[in-house]
Amino acid sequence: MTEEVALRFSVSRNQAFLLVETSCALVARLPNTLAALEKGDIDLYKASKVSQLTREVSDQVAEQVDAWLAQRLAGRVPSAIRRSVSRAVQKFDRDGYRERAAKKRAARQVSLIHDDETMSTLSGHLPAEVASSIYASLCRTAQALRNKDKSRTLDQHRADIFAERLLTEDGRGKPRAHIHVYVDFLTLTGARDDPATLAGYGPIPDWLVREIASDPNSTWSRLITDPATGQLLEVGADKYRSPASLARLIKARDRECTHPGCHRPAELSEIDHITGWARNGTTDHHNCRGACKTHNLLKEEPGWHTEPTGNGGMTITTPSGHTYDTAPEPLHYPRPEPEGDVPPF
């Protein structure tokens, strides 16, 4: 259901999951919260704070929490509601809370969310005391630097220290970045000002890509495109049909997971057939695509079907019968032949 809702409402998989989860919880387990929503005491976002923190408790505990919150929702901001829900869950489900806390501490992770105007948010989901210690350390170091260097704000110092600590390999040496950027040669030389593409993020301005390219540690791969379509024809100088070069071509062409709404970079995704090998699917650039693990496995779920449309494009059919067409974005806009190159009649 989540994947269907995501496609139907053109939202991310996580947003669709939250909509479905909140709706089901309100109807089945949280009648007082639903009543507050219907009266206008809270909105859907605030209601989702209740459903999120009670998703793993029993129906009995959810009922106790919901009843306890009945007079504690109206007129409160989302963060205050979240704290109240957390307090209630700990009150009514002490042992369960301890068990869930242990599991979540084991599931610590780092995530990347891309924002606008060349910025992104890198966050770590860590035990509270660890995260607090890291932030305190950043603040202490940033404050010491700020006392000597007023050209940067305290926030800028914190952010720069954070980046330097993470990018420095083995705690020593100069930070090195490992990213995939797709740029037109004429843009790279400054003859054009077309945007480049940062894998998993999207368009970045010409001035930024030239800054990245000026780093002496940058490495390069030649990408050959069809001028008429902007689609990728070749990567590097290797033979096109070999498995390794085919994988390189697909990752460079797709740039990110090909499922609508998913932006996981292709170099971190899997290469697989659109029409499966068991159904006589061919191993070529028309029938292979890059996909994250979740969406690669989705095509094997009951009711889901994918059909190749050429050069990595495909038609997705969902269990409800809706269809969605998707294809890799061209690396550049189609370029007509220059008039001067047209042979005379």
Side-chain angles (χ1 to χ4, degrees):
M1 181 183 293
T2 296
E3 298 293 349
E4 285 242 42
V5 170
L7 290 173
R8 200 67 184 150
F9 288 94
S10 298
V11 297
S12 70
R13 187 171 182 270
N14 288 340
Q15 288 177 296
F17 175 82
L18 182 59
L19 285 171
V20 173
E21 177 191 56
T22 302
S23 300
C24 292
L26 289 173
V27 172
R29 308 208 312 166
L30 303 169
N32 292 292
T33 306
L34 177 59
L37 177 63
E38 291 174 337
K39 287 190 298 183
D41 290 342
I42 58 172
D43 56 23
L44 184 60
Y45 180 71
K46 293 179 180 179
S48 72
K49 298 303 174 186
V50 183
S51 67
Q52 287 174 29
L53 270 72
T54 56
R55 62 162 62 110
E56 296 181 49
V57 304
S58 67
D59 289 346
Q60 179 182 2
V61 171
E63 181 181 358
Q64 291 175 297
V65 173
D66 183 60
W68 188 81
L69 289 171
Q71 306 302 320
R72 294 177 170 87
L73 294 174
R76 306 186 70 197
V77 298
S79 59
I81 291 176
R82 185 177 185 88
R83 286 194 295 269
S84 291
V85 178
S86 179
R87 186 176 295 109
V89 169
Q90 294 181 55
K91 173 183 176 66
F92 297 115
D93 190 29
R94 185 179 180 85
D95 292 338
Y97 183 88
R98 180 188 291 273
E99 292 176 5
R100 291 189 298 275
K103 291 179 181 178
K104 289 183 179 179
R105 291 167 75 88
R108 53 196 177 274
Q109 62 177 319
V110 173
S111 60
L112 176 65
I113 300 174
H114 291 305
D115 303 319
D116 297 324
E117 279 80 43
T118 75
M119 299 298 286
S120 296
T121 299
L122 177 67
S123 62
H125 190 59
L126 300 168
E129 73 280 6
V130 175
S132 298
S133 296
I134 292 172
Y135 188 73
S137 175
L138 290 174
C139 289
R140 285 194 298 269
T141 307
Q143 186 61 64
L145 289 176
R146 171 68 175 164
N147 293 335
K148 302 175 183 178
D149 178 9
K150 303 293 186 181
S151 66
R152 288 180 284 177
T153 67
L154 195 59
D155 279 338
Q156 289 172 333
H157 276 298
R158 268 194 295 261
D160 294 343
I161 295 165
F162 177 74
E164 289 165 5
R165 287 181 178 178
L166 290 178
L167 283 173
T168 302
E169 297 180 352
D170 300 323
R172 301 183 302 276
K174 183 179 178 181
R176 296 182 60 191
H178 302 276
I179 55 176
H180 288 205
V181 179
Y182 303 82
V183 56
D184 184 285
F185 178 74
L186 293 178
T187 296
L188 188 62
T189 61
R192 279 200 179 108
D193 58 3
D194 297 332
T197 299
L198 174 60
Y201 177 86
I204 58 174
D206 58 308
W207 54 264
L208 177 57
V209 76
R210 284 193 286 272
E211 286 184 14
I212 296 172
S214 66
D215 189 322
N217 291 318
S218 295
T219 56
W220 302 90
S221 292
R222 183 186 61 184
L223 306 180
I224 300 175
T225 60
D226 182 348
T229 65
Q231 288 291 357
L232 193 62
L233 296 178
E234 185 180 335
V235 177
D238 294 338
K239 292 182 179 179
Y240 166 72
R241 295 294 178 181
S242 72
S245 59
L246 176 60
R248 285 197 298 271
L249 183 143
I250 291 169
K251 289 182 177 182
R253 177 198 67 196
D254 294 349
R255 303 192 287 289
E256 58 189 27
C257 175
T258 51
H259 190 88
C262 184
H263 301 289
R264 184 172 178 79
E267 64 265 22
L268 304 178
S269 299
E270 302 176 348
I271 304 297
D272 201 5
H273 300 82
I274 298 172
T275 298
W277 182 263
R279 293 189 288 126
N280 299 318
T282 57
T283 303
D284 57 29
H285 68 294
H286 291 300
N287 188 49
C288 288
R289 53 100 180 226
C292 69
K293 186 172 183 179
T294 296
H295 291 125
N296 189 25
L297 296 174
L298 183 64
K299 71 178 189 296
E300 307 298 335
E301 292 294 319
W304 288 85
H305 178 72
T306 53
E307 187 71 27
T309 57
N311 202 23
M314 62 180 174
T315 297
I316 302 171
T317 304
T318 70
S320 66
H322 291 93
T323 60
Y324 302 86
D325 294 320
T326 180
E329 289 288 333
L331 289 181
H332 58 74
Y333 292 113
R335 294 172 183 153
E337 291 290 335
E339 293 182 3
D341 292 345
V342 178
F345 289 97

